[in-house]
């Protein structure tokens, strides 16, 4: 006879749904350990909230660093693009900001995370070389960006 999933019985063909405080575990046959899965709504919200707060703090620090380096910078709208890649190794999301001088030239490209691969950094630079954002005639402009590199094969 085959093992049945949690709460499943052949007799009544009913699946038992875990209640709010009930935990589910999956057996790992290789180690004999059962990792715990979060099933309570408050635990799920807590972990999601922590991640969101960490991302927001990271972005705030990133913006402050740009404002310190370029005190008269004017923040513009976010540039979001999905860019095709040749290989799965080049997939990922890159966050940052491109700084454009009043003459329309790209002054700098800042990456929010320092662990971005040189290949993805190169792709971002090539994108802005071919598609420079619009300049403000008076101030330096900062365009936050979010590029999703995706292998379409």
């Amino acid at each position: 006879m085959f093992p049945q999933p949690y709460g499943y019985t052949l007799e009544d063909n009913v699946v038992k749904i875990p209640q709010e405080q009930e935990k589910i575990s999956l057996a790992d046959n290789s180690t004999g350990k059962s990792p715990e899965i979060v099933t309570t709504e408050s635990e799920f919200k807590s972990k999601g909230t922590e991640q969101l707060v960490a991302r927001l703090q990271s972005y705030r620090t990133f913006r402050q660093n740009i404002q310190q380096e370029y005190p008269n910078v004017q923040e513009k709208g976010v540039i979001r693009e999905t860019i095709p890649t040749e290989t799965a190794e080049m997939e990922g999301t890159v966050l940052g900001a491109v700084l454009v001088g009043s003459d329309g030239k790209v002054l700098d490209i800042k990456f929010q995370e320092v662990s971005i691969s040189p290949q993805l950094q190169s792709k971002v630079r090539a994108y802005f070389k071919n598609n420079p954002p619009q300049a403000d005639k008076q101030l330096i402009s900062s365009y936050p960006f979010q590029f999703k590199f995706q292998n379409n094969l």
Side-chain angles (χ1 to χ4, degrees), residues 21 23 40 48 55 58 67 83 97 102 109 117 126 133 140 152:
Q21 298 302 318
K23 305 249 186 244
T40 63
R55 285 165 130 182
S58 172
Q67 289 170 345
I83 300 172
S102 58
I109 298 173
S117 76
I140 294 173
N152 292 336

Side-chain angles (χ1 to χ4, degrees), residues 19-20 26 71 74 77 79 85 100 104-105 108 116 140 151:
Q19 300 305 307
E20 175 142 347
L26 302 174
Q74 169 110 30
I79 299 169
T85 65
V100 181
K105 293 184 181 175
D108 200 356
I116 302 299
I140 294 173
N151 184 0

Side-chain angles (χ1 to χ4, degrees), residues 37-113:
I37 296 176
V38 176
T39 58
T40 63
E41 186 176 340
S42 61
E43 285 179 54
F44 180 75
K45 284 182 180 178
S46 174
K47 289 182 191 279
T49 301
E50 287 174 17
Q51 289 176 343
L52 181 60
V53 168
R55 285 165 130 182
L56 289 172
Q57 287 174 338
S58 172
Y59 182 69
R60 182 175 46 211
T61 302
F62 177 71
R63 283 184 63 209
Q64 288 171 345
N65 291 341
I66 289 173
Q67 289 170 345
Q68 286 174 355
E69 193 171 340
Y70 298 93
N72 295 327
V73 71
Q74 169 110 30
E75 192 167 277
K76 300 291 188 173
V78 177
I79 299 169
R80 289 185 178 88
E81 291 287 338
T82 299
I83 300 172
T85 65
E86 299 82 34
T87 63
E89 293 81 34
M90 296 270 298
E91 288 187 326
T93 300
V94 178
L95 304 172
V98 60
L99 294 131
V100 181
S102 58
D103 59 358
K105 293 184 181 175
V106 173
L107 301 174
D108 200 356
I109 298 173
K110 302 280 187 185
F111 297 95
Q112 190 170 334
E113 296 178 22

Side-chain angles (χ1 to χ4, degrees), residues 15-33:
V15 174
K16 181 179 180 241
I17 298 174
Q19 300 305 307
E20 175 142 347
Q21 298 302 318
E22 199 171 2
K23 305 249 186 244
I24 300 174
S25 64
L26 302 174
D28 182 355
N29 293 335
S30 63
T31 63
K33 295 180 181 176

